Amino acid sequence: MTLPETVYPQGREMAKAVAGRHRRGTAFKFAFLAALMLAVVALLTLLLKVIDSSFGYVALENEVQPRELVADLGYGEDVDLVDLSKTELVALLQQTISNNVGRRLERDQRFFDDRLVFESEAKYAELCAGAEPVSGCSATARDQPGVYQLVVERVVQPTILRTWTLFESLLSRNEVKALAAAEFPQAELVFRSWLSGRFLVSPQAPDPAVAGVRTAVLGSLWIVAITLLFSFPVGVGAAIYLEEYASDNRLNRLIQTNINNLAGVPSIIYGMLGLAIFVRALEVFSSGALFGVGEGTTANGRTIIAAGLTLGLLILPIIIINSQEAIRAVPRSLRQAGLALGATKWQTTRSHVLPNALPGILTGTILAVARALGETAPLVVVGASTFITTDPGGPFAKFTALPIQIYQWTSRPQDEFRNIAAAAILVLLVMLLTLNATAVILRNRYARRI
Amino acid sequence: MTFPRRHFHEELKTIEQELVLMAGMAERAVGRAVDALFRNDITLAGEVVAEDQLIDDKYLLIHEKWLETMALQTPVAIDLRLMSSVLHLLVTLERMGDQATNIAKIVKSIEAHTREPRILEHLREMGDLVQPMVRTAMEAFVQRDLALALRVPEMDEPVNRLNRSMTTEVARCAPDQEVLEWAVPMLMVSRALERVGDQAVDIAEQVAFLLTGEFQEFTRPDTEPYDH
Amino acid sequence: MAGEDPGVVITATAARGAADDGTPVTQAMETVDMSVFYGSFRAVKNVSLQFRDHRITALIGPSGCGKSTVLRAFNRMNDLIPTSRVEGRVFFHGNDIYEESVDPVEVRRRVGMVFQKPNPFPKSIYSNVAWGAKVNGYKGNMDDLVEQSLRQAALWDEVNDKLDQSGLSLSGGQQQRLCIARTIAVKPEIILMDEPTSALDPIATLRIEELIQELKDRYTIIIVTHNMQQAARASDFTAFLNMDQDRAGQVVEFGATAELFTRPARKETEDYITGRFG
């Protein structure tokens, strides 16, 4: 039976119909393009705003000029304050600050490991032997950037009178100069990169002019390390069991469903869980008292290990699901080939399934870690310190993390805090981008191999 | 419902049909040669000789198709046995046509002035016996009828008998030189007809092989002192 | 005589008794009344076959008639499917491989398998061949074993200078021969082949058929094939399986390949191999 010719449009009618179909397609294409443009514009705006706040002119007034301090020590124009050695910087401090302040600083954190500057050895030893030893007893001594920061903070004493954004600084440079000359005649107009090397290596400080992200970055890295150490083996192990060994019965399906659901639970709930279990119930463990380590100020469970384990629980379901998928993606033919040679299930899994699933597992793990890096709410609940200046000494130390630091700085009123918050955001973005890029490179490299 | 190898099986059918046509031509040639002998019809004998060409052409046609089918279709089981028996039949029928031609050539060559009626009768009888044999064997082939095929060797019995008695008959013509001159070639005619009978039996053997998968020489009653 | 037989499965007399040269015939594998179930569905019914030592036996039949299921029952690969169940006996050198005390891992070393789509490991050629031996605890010289296996698989000459290259860098036919080599390396007695050439081009196919002939001297081979010509070319014995009305596969006829392809005993067989089925 042949279809009659007139069932389809012919000739000119056909041409019109086809043109209409093309037009509709083009309309959709532009709609999708518009969606893409919207997303791009939104992201670019975010990025530009952050960059805008990270660089710009600053009207700065120093109590003591760094140049003078350097000249006093006999150096020439080529040496800056930041180039001085720790010993020289400590000497500068000694000249300026009172002994009381010096003693307080030294009790928080010593300047040298081998000698005391402001305190007598006997008194210090007495303090350390007491019931509640000061933090300086167990912490490592301050390093050069830390001491430099102190010198700037307490000797140079810069006051930031006004900051300008990058675009203002670049585009309306003359107006800025005029304004500064008019309103702040005493002050110096300096172009400042809030995001600088110094910013990265300086510890946290109350003064935004000198504060840095080192404390927060190290805190984040410590937490993420513990997160990884916990969730990777546990997650991958669970995934292997679920995919290779678990039989398809009601119980296992229930477990699977629950794991899938847990991946979607809001992160603050994990924070509450972490608070209840790791901080409170397991305080003995997480404070380090169990091991005889720890700050000793109060048997306090709000430590890095508690935060790390909490985030570990958070990303555990994600790692399990992702690893399961990676394992499932290994073709069945590979398993059959292995088993048909008389290998046991574990031998086949170990030699063929896991190596082939590994790229997928690693990619997913890296992405999960990137997520953990950016988590704020659970860390707040678990008890990130809002203000610590010492680097974390170990897993049982008090902690802060980069997102927490950003959150804290953005909630302060002064303009300068916005600048360093923006700089810190850039640091966080770079860390996340690096992790994501690593994941993508890994994935591409292994995809090409197979 | 279309079978998966319809084209192939239609090719097989075509080959069979051509073979049946060829068998008809060969059988008719034998009959007409005997007629020509009986009536001393030289013209008819000439036609028989000429028409052998047609049989040979048919042979080539079928053989070509046979080769093609073997190469392209790789037949197995019953189809393979069919192809095998077709090839045997092809050769046998071509030889049958040659026997008819031999008889016709003898008719053309002799001066049939004095003929011995008894010998003619025998030959007529033989001709009347072998033609149905060929027909029966081909019928058994077309119908795939084993029972029918098994009848053919029995029909060969009288033909052999008549052939054997031919020597005596011809010897009896000895006193008359002229008759003897005519009678001796009649021995060859008798032999040719006996051969046709054997060829019919061969066809029947092939039919049996086709149907059973076993090849059996059909026992000929009264084995001859000399071979055919 | 080709005609209807009462529905009794025919076992070839050629499979039992003495070989052509009078030496006693041994059977590498024998199934007695074997049925395979997937859950409650019976996929294969009452299969009774004998596989002669050092011979090639082919299993042919239409799609879905259970040939692969039967094959996989011989090395207990069906065990991997949770709902599968085997009834009846499968004897490997006299021992039922489905007995409680038998470890499927051990069975699979002695009964190897080559799959339809070549599936070499994404490792080097050397590792492909050596891995199976290693996990089974091979104690001898591995280099020698790899060379020997590759030679037996007719692949050595082509790859001996690139043993560290990935197995996946070879052509399809070479990959399949690599799979055969790694199966040989664990020194099985029987090699099962599930449509080993259906994914390969004609030349590669013929080379593998030739290889199978060479392997006959050392191993017993059971091959499932869709391609009847292949069964005709390459096997000594052939079993024809077909589905009955319950979609369960069973053996219709089993005999010497030459016999089955010139004068099959069952009309059902003849209809299938001559293509006279609807």
Side-chain angles (χ1 to χ4, degrees), chain B residues 1-5 8-9 12 73-81 146 209 211-215, chain C residues 1-3 228-229 232-233 258-264 269-278:
Chain B
M1 173 151 49
T2 28
F3 292 95
R5 298 193 75 185
F8 166 48
H9 294 138
L12 286 180
Q73 302 285 357
T74 45
V76 289
I78 196 165
D79 299 334
L80 178 67
R81 300 201 302 272
L146 187 63
F209 168 69
L211 295 175
T212 67
E214 307 288 335
F215 185 78
Chain C
M1 178 167 161
M228 277 188 289
Q229 262 64 56
R233 281 194 298 265
E259 277 293 309
L260 198 128
F261 280 92
T262 50
R263 43 186 83 81
T269 313
E270 187 157 79
D271 285 347
Y272 178 71
I273 64 178
T274 58
R276 283 185 175 83
F277 46 88

Side-chain angles (χ1 to χ4, degrees), chain C residues 43-44 59 62-71 224 241 243 247-249:
Chain C
V44 159
L59 305 179
S63 290
C65 70
K67 316 188 284 290
S68 291
T69 305
V70 167
L71 198 74
V224 162
L241 284 86
M243 271 189 282
R247 283 170 56 227

Side-chain angles (χ1 to χ4, degrees), chain A residues 332-345 347-348 350-352 355-356 449-450, chain C residues 75 77 80 105 108-109 111-113 115 119-123 131-132 135-136 168 182-183 186:
Chain A
R332 203 149 47 117
S333 58
L334 223 50
R335 289 187 182 81
Q336 290 198 341
L339 290 168
L341 288 169
T344 61
K345 193 181 182 92
Q347 286 173 319
T348 308
R350 186 191 62 195
S351 300
H352 301 300
N356 281 301
R449 254 222 280 155
I450 294 177
Chain C
N75 67 347
M77 284 299 268
L80 301 178
V105 167
R108 292 186 199 127
R109 184 194 70 74
V111 181
M113 184 173 253
F115 298 87
N119 56 2
F121 302 126
K123 291 173 162 9
W131 184 80
V135 300
N136 276 297
L168 297 168
R182 78 173 171 201
T183 306
V186 297

Side-chain angles (χ1 to χ4, degrees), chain A residues 273-307:
Chain A
L273 180 72
L275 181 70
I277 297 182
F278 298 119
V279 176
R280 302 231 168 94
L282 291 178
E283 193 168 6
V284 167
F285 166 71
S286 55
S287 68
L290 188 65
F291 305 99
V293 203
E295 305 259 298
T297 41
T298 35
N300 193 327
R302 293 172 202 274
T303 53
I304 283 180
I305 197 166

Side-chain angles (χ1 to χ4, degrees), chain A residues 403-414 417-422 425:
Chain A
I404 304 272
Q405 189 70 85
I406 296 171
Y407 164 63
Q408 195 231 342
W409 281 339
T410 50
S411 54
R412 300 285 212 87
Q414 291 94 331
F417 280 109
R418 254 186 283 296
N419 293 94
I420 55 175
I425 289 175

